[in-house]
Amino acid sequence: IMAGLFGVAVAGLPGLAGAASTGVTALDFRFAGPDGSAPAAVAINPGDAVTFAYPAGSSRHDVHFTGSAPDACTGATAQVGPAPAPAAPGWSATCTFTTPGAYAFVCDVHPNMTGTVTVSAPSTMSPATTDTTPAPAGPPPTPPSTPPATMTPTPTPTPTAAAKPGPAASALKVAGVQHGTAVHGRVTIARAGSSLSATLRAGTVTLGQLHRSGLRAGVLSIAVPVGAAGRRRLTAHGRLALTLSVKVTPRTGAARTLSHPVILKP
């Protein structure tokens, strides 16, 4: 009886006809892969499908593909895709991926919720063959005459300019609409040992700050809290139009400042 029930449940999932399917589950507050690991990491073959679902919880989530997007999705397409809208639990969507590559996704409300779908490239290798046919017998080849040696002047190498160090930071990703009393984002730190200074402003008024130092290279998640004055404005008006500015300063070289607008709601 249990085997029959399982077969009915699998047949009811979209995306399984003619292709393999796996799943990613949105929890409060992480994306879990088929094995329960987080961040979710799913590896599939071209043409396979992945089902994204938020079955139960007490928050709002979506699945935002920040780069390449799947070829097609069915189900809750308003919550899964390149421009989704967060929603309460009870939604699911199945997406098909045919092009090899990495498909990164994030929850717009909770930037710390991330995952990746990796579509492997089909193998094109064929076994090598060796020609074992013996060469026909014949007279031995006549050795070529050796021309007289000539002196070739060695070219003088052209001096090249020393490579300049790259920027301290290369990307800032921030959801355009957020809820709560802090603004969340992700900064790509290009050079280890850099320091970070993040500022929230409404016009020319500073409403929040964050400072970090001794950073590692890679993607850094930040949460910049809104100060008391900003929280009073948020309570009075129901929203805040802010600009998040992040300045990353390396140990040596020039600093880089990245900015992004954001609407903060209670």
Side-chain angles (χ1 to χ4, degrees), residues 8-256:
V8 173
V10 171
L13 285 176
L16 291 182
S21 178
T22 186
V24 172
T25 303
L27 306 174
D28 296 338
F29 296 90
R30 60 191 176 92
F31 283 121
D35 59 353
S37 61
V42 180
I44 61 175
N45 295 318
D48 289 350
V50 178
T51 297
F52 301 87
Y54 182 29
S58 58
S59 186
R60 299 179 310 116
H61 302 304
D62 63 9
V63 177
H64 182 178
F65 288 94
T66 56
S68 300
D71 296 272
C73 296
T74 59
T77 55
Q79 279 70 55
V80 180
W91 55 261
S92 69
T94 299
C95 300
T96 303
F97 301 78
T98 60
T99 304
Y103 298 76
F105 57 89
V106 65
C107 172
D108 285 325
V109 183
H110 309 95
N112 289 331
M113 294 177 58
T114 60
T116 304
V117 175
T118 302
V119 182
S120 61
S123 176
T124 59
M125 296 295 292
S126 59
T129 59
T130 303
D131 185 4
T132 59
T133 303
T142 302
S145 58
T146 304
T150 57
M151 298 297 293
T152 302
T154 302
T156 303
T158 303
T160 57
K164 296 182 179 180
S170 59
L172 171 63
K173 293 186 177 181
V174 182
V177 178
Q178 300 190 27
H179 295 260
T181 57
V183 172
H184 298 263
R186 293 184 299 163
V187 187
T188 301
I189 306 298
R191 299 168 62 185
S194 298
S195 60
L196 176 146
S197 177
T199 305
L200 289 176
R201 291 189 178 89
T204 59
V205 180
T206 299
L207 297 179
Q209 289 184 315
L210 175 71
H211 300 281
R212 301 281 296 275
S213 60
L215 303 177
R216 294 182 179 181
V219 177
L220 172 69
S221 296
I222 61 172
V224 185
V226 177
R231 293 195 296 270
R232 288 194 295 270
R233 289 191 182 191
L234 184 61
T235 301
H237 300 288
R239 58 181 281 163
L240 281 177
L242 301 169
T243 298
L244 172 63
S245 295
V246 177
K247 181 180 181 181
V248 179
T249 304
R251 292 177 179 174
T252 59
R256 185 176 186 186

